[in-house]
Amino acid sequence: MSELPRWIALFTEGVIADLRKGPKPDVVHSHYWLSGWAGVLVKEALDIPLANSFHTLGRVKDVSRRDDERASSPMRTMTEEEVIARSNCVIASTPFEFDDLLDHYGASPERLCTSPPGIDHSIFQPGDKTAARAWLGLDDVPTILFAGRIQALKGLDVAISAMAHMQTTAHLVIVGGPSGAAGDAEVAHLQALAAGLGVGERVHFIAPQPHDQLARFYQAADVLVMPSRSETFGLVAAEAQACGLPVVASRIGGIPYVVADRKSGLLVEVGDEPGFAHALERILSDPDLYAQLSEGALLKSADFSWKATADRLLELYHGISGRDPDRS
């Protein structure tokens, strides 16, 4: 990541040159702060309206980062400010991110809008748990699933520590790989933590999987854990719920928008290891609660679809481009 900023100018020159060859697009939509930087340059060179989605925000991540994590670089936060100020529309994935943009960046409310991501319900849907476990080679033991990047921000140390507080002999399956400059060190830290707490044999690291194969893991697990220290949306939680999987997650960022507390999952305060242990134990030991939350998870997942997301984005594009949608 630290090497990417120096390539922005060259990348943007190529984009501008390519766009000048054909019909000018109606809208540029950039994602994250680095492509937002490029998006601003494209907008100003070609006079094209710009929409930007950040997905994560440096200053918001810094509020709850672990003590040994590096703070976001001044380059990142200053670039985020510029992208926010120069975009025609900054797209927040939840009302919580909308508020973060106001509170941490002084964004203009009239340039903010909300459009949650969608999920593919043809892939993420309930399945046969026994068959899914057999396909994955998982034993028939209580299984907690984590899916995502391995970095301090994601709070896997909290999930592993929570296992030491639990009476249920559950296994934690971690699907994902190290992320960022400190990713490999974080994996080593987690392995040492699990061994030191006596749960090392019940923590399993599995390499990142193709997106469409994640559904098998959701179908095979008993509960998804998302102990994030910061989370703009929580797409993994939405996907898991579409498979009928209850979620135990941090009460932070956009997660309460995705997970309905005590209806589709249980929310816990950030970093509360005994709290996560108690919530996981409740779901694993109470079949009635599990069934209730599983049903609620399916209902909640209906809020997030690709069609709804596409329709909302088209509406936003028409708004900043000034084009009549009936003539598109």
Side-chain angles (χ1 to χ4, degrees):
M1 183 66 72
S2 61
E3 295 295 314
L4 292 178
R6 68 190 183 96
W7 298 103
I8 292 294
L10 182 62
F11 169 77
T12 306
E13 287 176 9
V15 172
I16 292 171
D18 191 63
L19 291 177
R20 281 179 169 152
K21 295 176 183 177
K24 187 168 70 173
D26 297 308
V27 173
V28 173
H29 188 168
S30 52
H31 293 257
Y32 201 53
W33 68 276
L34 285 167
S35 60
W37 180 353
V40 167
L41 297 175
V42 172
K43 171 196 173 180
E44 296 183 348
L46 301 178
D47 192 26
I48 303 173
L50 172 66
N52 189 78
S53 301
F54 280 101
H55 303 284
T56 64
L57 292 162
R59 288 178 181 162
V60 176
K61 290 171 65 175
D62 287 346
V63 170
S64 54
R65 64 184 171 87
R66 206 168 67 191
D67 291 342
D68 61 345
E69 286 184 274
R70 289 182 180 179
S72 299
S73 70
M75 176 186 290
R76 172 175 181 165
T77 55
M78 290 173 66
T79 300
E80 288 173 339
E81 281 189 346
E82 286 296 310
V83 174
I84 290 166
R86 299 189 190 194
S87 295
N88 297 81
C89 178
V90 176
I91 302 173
S93 57
T94 70
F96 298 93
E97 186 185 3
F98 188 106
D99 290 342
D100 284 335
L101 287 160
L102 294 175
D103 297 340
H104 294 279
Y105 292 87
S108 299
E110 64 273 13
R111 293 195 177 196
L112 300 182
C113 49
T114 303
S115 178
I119 56 176
D120 188 343
H121 287 267
S122 69
I123 295 174
F124 299 102
Q125 57 182 295
D128 186 317
K129 179 179 290 190
T130 301
R133 288 197 175 197
W135 183 79
L136 294 171
L138 294 176
D139 294 330
D140 189 20
V141 296
T143 302
I144 303 165
L145 174 68
F146 170 92
R149 294 170 292 148
I150 299 178
Q151 55 183 179
L153 180 75
K154 295 297 183 179
L156 263 170
D157 54 315
V158 176
I160 291 173
S161 296
M163 293 179 66
H165 292 278
M166 296 174 61
Q167 295 182 355
T168 301
T169 307
H171 286 238
L172 173 62
V173 175
I174 299 169
V175 180
S179 177
D184 290 332
E186 183 66 14
V187 172
H189 166 67
L190 296 172
Q191 291 172 334
L193 176 65
L197 292 173
V199 298
E201 293 184 356
R202 294 191 280 119
V203 177
H204 312 280
F205 290 85
I206 297 177
Q209 300 293 306
H211 194 224
D212 59 351
Q213 295 295 344
L214 277 177
R216 293 287 189 103
F217 287 89
Y218 296 138
Q219 293 164 357
D222 294 302
V223 59
L224 179 84
V225 65
M226 182 177 279
S228 305
R229 292 182 167 88
S230 178
E231 199 72 59
T232 302
F233 180 72
L235 185 62
V236 167
E239 293 172 346
Q241 289 179 142
C243 296
L245 187 63
V247 178
V248 173
S250 300
R251 192 191 308 275
I252 196 168
I255 292 178
Y257 182 81
V258 180
V259 180
D261 191 23
R262 294 176 292 179
K263 294 181 180 178
S264 66
L266 300 176
L267 298 183
V268 182
E269 298 308 313
V270 177
D272 182 358
E273 297 166 5
F276 270 93
H278 178 67
L280 291 166
E281 196 96 66
R282 284 184 62 194
I283 292 175
L284 293 173
S285 63
D286 187 338
D288 291 336
L289 177 62
Y290 179 90
Q292 172 191 328
L293 295 178
S294 180
E295 181 178 355
L298 289 172
L299 291 173
K300 183 62 179 175
S301 74
D303 291 347
F304 309 108
S305 70
W306 275 1
K307 182 181 186 307
T309 297
D311 289 345
R312 175 58 173 154
L313 288 176
L314 288 173
E315 178 185 6
L316 297 174
Y317 295 159
H318 290 308
I320 63 174
S321 68
R323 289 195 56 176
D324 184 348
D326 294 330
R327 296 183 181 179
S328 298

